[in-house]
Amino acid sequence: MQPTALIALPANVGQSGSTPAGIDLAAITDAYEVFSSAGMKVETISVQSCELLGAEALRLIFYPGVERTRQAIPRCAHLAELAGRVYDQGGVLAAVGSGPAGFLNVRTADGRQLVRGKRIAVSANLEAIGSDHDIPDPSGLLSALEAQGAILSGTSSEANPVIDDERIVTGPNSSSALLTAVVALEVLNRSAAEVLPLVAAPPGEAGAMVLLEMRAREREALREHLQACVKLSRRASGCLWSRLLPQREDPSVFVWMQQWASCTQQEAFLAWQRERGDLDILQGFLEDEVEISVFGDLVLPRHA
């Protein structure tokens, strides 16, 4: 199936021979050419037609900064759900100018706001954002992003104004669309090696709690490696939550806790890790063999 990139707009482009006010065609064209030249199928849709699409082949959604983005796109519940599914499946979400308005109200599979803790590129000059004819209310957009946990990062670097934070790629204005699209494609290529299998939970099957206890050869090296593993596990089908806890009594010992919706989904993730060699790599960081305990039909609160 040909991978698809989606360019999301608050209004239809090109209907009746007209282009809605505030549409930056150069930004759209730049992104389109980058994605299509890489062999992707590119769809350009509006909030009026997004409900017709599914997430099966979607690998990337691009939000160009255009007039009415701030008002229209966050109200499209289907597009928000679609974006969350694309992200959970290892895809990339990218935006320029007021485009990050498309991230508002998007949630990941574990219920968290998409932008929580993510760095979002904004112009170093707030007035410049508003004058880029694509943000009628710049302070309102930035406040909305901050309210959902985003970390706004002003950028004055003309050489590299684009920010990539865990497959959320943003550029500060429409003129950065070309570079933002290029970076988004690079990020997508990197993440392709981490595409997790989609596994459904069998009806009525019990969930599982998994504890992995590990003693580090070198504490900081293991901690850094495990943090990446935890982030990856949170994207897996059926992972309700995943946390890393150091033992207070012995800082060299870490406990990785996972809660799964079903044993089948937990076993599928473990098999995928074995196939990729992840467990062999993990063992290289350890003083002893990893101890794995699985408790069936046990549910603990996500923030316990």
Side-chain angles (χ1 to χ4, degrees):
M1 185 179 294
Q2 185 179 14
T4 300
L6 189 66
I7 299 178
L9 301 169
N12 289 320
V13 176
Q15 289 191 352
S16 304
S18 63
T19 299
I23 296 289
D24 189 331
L25 288 179
I28 298 171
T29 301
D30 285 344
Y32 187 98
E33 290 182 350
V34 168
F35 303 144
S36 61
S37 66
M40 301 187 77
K41 179 181 179 181
V42 184
E43 299 278 0
T44 301
I45 65 157
S46 71
V47 294
Q48 292 98 319
S49 57
C50 68
E51 63 189 41
L52 304 177
L53 291 173
E56 290 76 15
L58 274 181
R59 302 294 297 133
L60 189 153
I61 301 180
F62 182 84
Y63 303 84
V66 298
E67 189 177 350
R68 295 197 303 278
T69 293
R70 168 72 176 95
Q71 289 80 15
I73 286 185
R75 291 202 298 265
C76 181
H78 183 80
L79 184 56
E81 179 184 356
L82 194 63
R85 290 173 62 194
V86 169
Y87 186 80
D88 287 334
Q89 292 171 12
V92 173
L93 303 180
V96 295
S98 63
F103 302 156
L104 295 172
N105 304 325
V106 176
R107 292 183 178 273
T108 55
D110 59 6
R112 292 180 300 173
Q113 295 282 0
L114 172 75
V115 297
R116 181 181 177 185
K118 302 293 194 305
R119 294 171 61 229
I120 304 295
V122 299
S123 172
N125 183 343
L126 184 60
E127 293 181 359
I129 300 178
S131 65
D132 197 20
H133 73 66
D134 58 5
I135 304 184
D137 179 16
S139 60
L141 171 59
L142 301 188
S143 296
L145 287 167
E146 287 186 313
Q148 294 192 6
I151 302 170
L152 304 182
S153 182
T155 174
S156 59
S157 171
E158 296 182 1
N160 187 19
V162 177
I163 291 176
D164 160 32
D165 193 343
E166 295 184 23
R167 294 177 291 112
I168 302 297
V169 181
T170 51
N173 47 48
S174 295
S175 62
S176 64
L178 177 61
L179 182 56
T180 301
V182 170
V183 173
L185 193 61
E186 292 173 349
V187 172
L188 183 61
N189 287 333
R190 290 201 305 267
S191 67
E194 297 183 347
V195 175
L196 291 133
L198 299 177
V199 181
E205 184 174 278
M209 166 68 69
V210 180
L211 301 180
L212 296 88
E213 187 169 338
M214 297 153 281
R215 181 180 298 277
R217 292 180 185 271
E218 201 283 310
R219 183 179 184 278
E220 286 306 307
L222 176 61
R223 182 183 64 82
E224 184 176 342
H225 179 74
L226 286 176
Q227 285 177 337
C229 293
V230 168
K231 290 180 180 179
L232 186 62
S233 69
R234 288 171 177 166
R235 290 169 36 205
S237 295
C239 182
L240 301 179
W241 55 264
S242 181
R243 299 174 60 192
L244 182 64
L245 301 173
Q247 278 197 356
R248 293 182 180 178
E249 297 80 6
D250 187 348
S252 68
V253 175
F254 289 85
V255 176
W256 182 5
M257 302 177 64
Q258 307 165 9
Q259 178 73 61
W260 295 85
S262 73
C263 293
T264 294
Q265 290 167 315
Q266 183 272 325
E267 290 166 359
F269 177 68
L270 188 61
W272 180 77
Q273 286 184 300
R274 287 197 181 100
E275 183 179 349
R276 294 198 337 150
D278 289 358
L279 299 184
D280 292 335
I281 294 173
L282 174 61
Q283 191 61 53
F285 289 89
L286 306 181
E287 192 70 37
D288 306 306
E289 291 288 326
V290 59
E291 296 182 15
I292 303 178
S293 302
V294 180
F295 305 92
D297 201 19
L298 175 63
V299 178
L300 295 180
R302 180 176 297 172
H303 301 294

